[in-house]
Amino acid sequence: MSAPYTKMFQNVQSDFHDGCEAINKLIGVPHCEKLLSQMCQELLKKLHESTCLVDAVAVYQKFERMGLDMPKSTVTAAASSLHYLFQSADNASLTTEELTNSMRLSMLYTDPVIKLLGTIWESYSSSTHDKTSKSGPTALIGQLIDFHWKLGVAVTSNSCKNLNTPYISVAMTTAEASGQLKQTSFEMSIAEFKNFSTQLEEMAAVMKTM
């Protein structure tokens, strides 16, 4: 089993285990599987938001109407543990098989829970893949976060070998498709910068026609 998903359950908070226990108990209660599925779907819709939460009060009230004596804290713990599981799987781009195998190895989940969450993850992964495919290559391209430049005078460099030769130093910060920030720095000679500037002007001119 490779590292990205064997480490999923290391250093988790204590309430994560409480949430797992709650999910294992609920899966065996009549009609609760449907509520768990609804909770998972809501969490997956909010997976990439800074705060992921289901409305724990609303979920608690649904359980209460079914005659289940369950503290609100238990519902919150279940939602938190599910969010952590899905978020970790999404960050590691796990397949359904990898996710269910990691859940089984953790020994935190019953087989019915693994089966249910595996089915939900398969549906989510397929839907996400379809959207990515339809959106084309742009979906896999990073985003420019920051851009800085300054004019300097080279003493020595790969592209400016003469003393006192001016050059342009550029520093960029980009966010990759995975969300990880990457910093890149490079230098350009004045001639290279003029060529770069010309291309930017051409791009700006095309944008004005749109």
Side-chain angles (χ1 to χ4, degrees):
M1 194 72 56
S2 59
Y5 50 97
T6 53
K7 295 181 179 180
M8 283 177 58
F9 302 103
Q10 294 180 3
N11 303 319
V12 293
Q13 300 296 322
S14 58
D15 63 347
F16 176 82
H17 295 87
D18 295 337
C20 292
E21 290 180 8
I23 295 167
N24 290 334
K25 291 178 181 178
L26 288 172
I27 196 69
V29 179
H31 308 298
C32 279
E33 181 174 326
K34 183 177 180 180
L35 285 179
L36 278 173
S37 296
Q38 291 174 353
M39 185 189 295
C40 291
Q41 297 296 342
E42 188 175 345
L43 285 166
L44 288 170
K45 286 180 182 177
K46 301 179 179 181
L47 193 60
H48 297 286
E49 296 181 7
S50 56
T51 57
C52 142
L53 285 179
V54 247
D55 188 342
V57 175
V59 176
Y60 168 76
Q61 290 173 345
K62 290 179 181 179
F63 285 129
E64 194 175 42
R65 285 195 293 270
M66 294 172 61
L68 295 175
D69 183 17
M70 178 181 299
K72 293 179 184 178
S73 58
T74 302
V75 176
T76 303
S80 297
S81 65
L82 284 170
H83 173 247
Y84 175 83
L85 178 71
F86 290 140
Q87 185 72 70
S88 300
D90 187 64
N91 289 341
S93 301
L94 299 189
T95 64
T96 301
E97 182 180 2
E98 290 171 338
L99 175 61
T100 53
N101 282 344
S102 66
M103 292 174 67
R104 194 168 287 110
L105 286 174
S106 73
M107 302 180 69
L108 293 172
Y109 303 91
T110 62
D111 287 339
V113 170
I114 294 173
K115 182 179 179 181
L116 174 64
L117 300 188
T119 300
I120 292 172
W121 183 251
E122 176 68 24
S123 176
Y124 169 78
S125 299
S126 298
S127 174
T128 303
H129 176 73
D130 290 342
K131 290 179 181 178
T132 302
S133 299
K134 290 177 182 178
S135 63
T138 305
L140 301 177
I141 296 176
Q143 180 182 3
L144 179 64
I145 302 299
D146 201 4
F147 182 96
H148 292 285
W149 68 274
K150 66 179 180 180
L151 177 65
V153 178
V155 177
T156 62
S157 77
N158 292 332
S159 57
C160 305
K161 299 183 182 301
N162 298 324
L163 294 176
N164 301 322
T165 300
Y167 69 94
I168 302 295
S169 176
V170 176
M172 296 189 302
T173 301
T174 57
E176 299 182 340
S178 63
Q180 182 177 1
L181 295 181
K182 179 180 179 181
Q183 294 184 333
T184 304
S185 301
F186 58 90
E187 296 176 358
M188 292 185 286
S189 66
I190 297 300
E192 290 171 336
F193 175 74
K194 287 181 178 179
N195 179 54
F196 176 65
S197 177
T198 299
Q199 292 184 53
L200 289 179
E201 290 174 356
E202 292 174 353
M203 290 167 57
V206 172
M207 292 295 294
K208 289 180 180 180
T209 66
M210 300 178 66

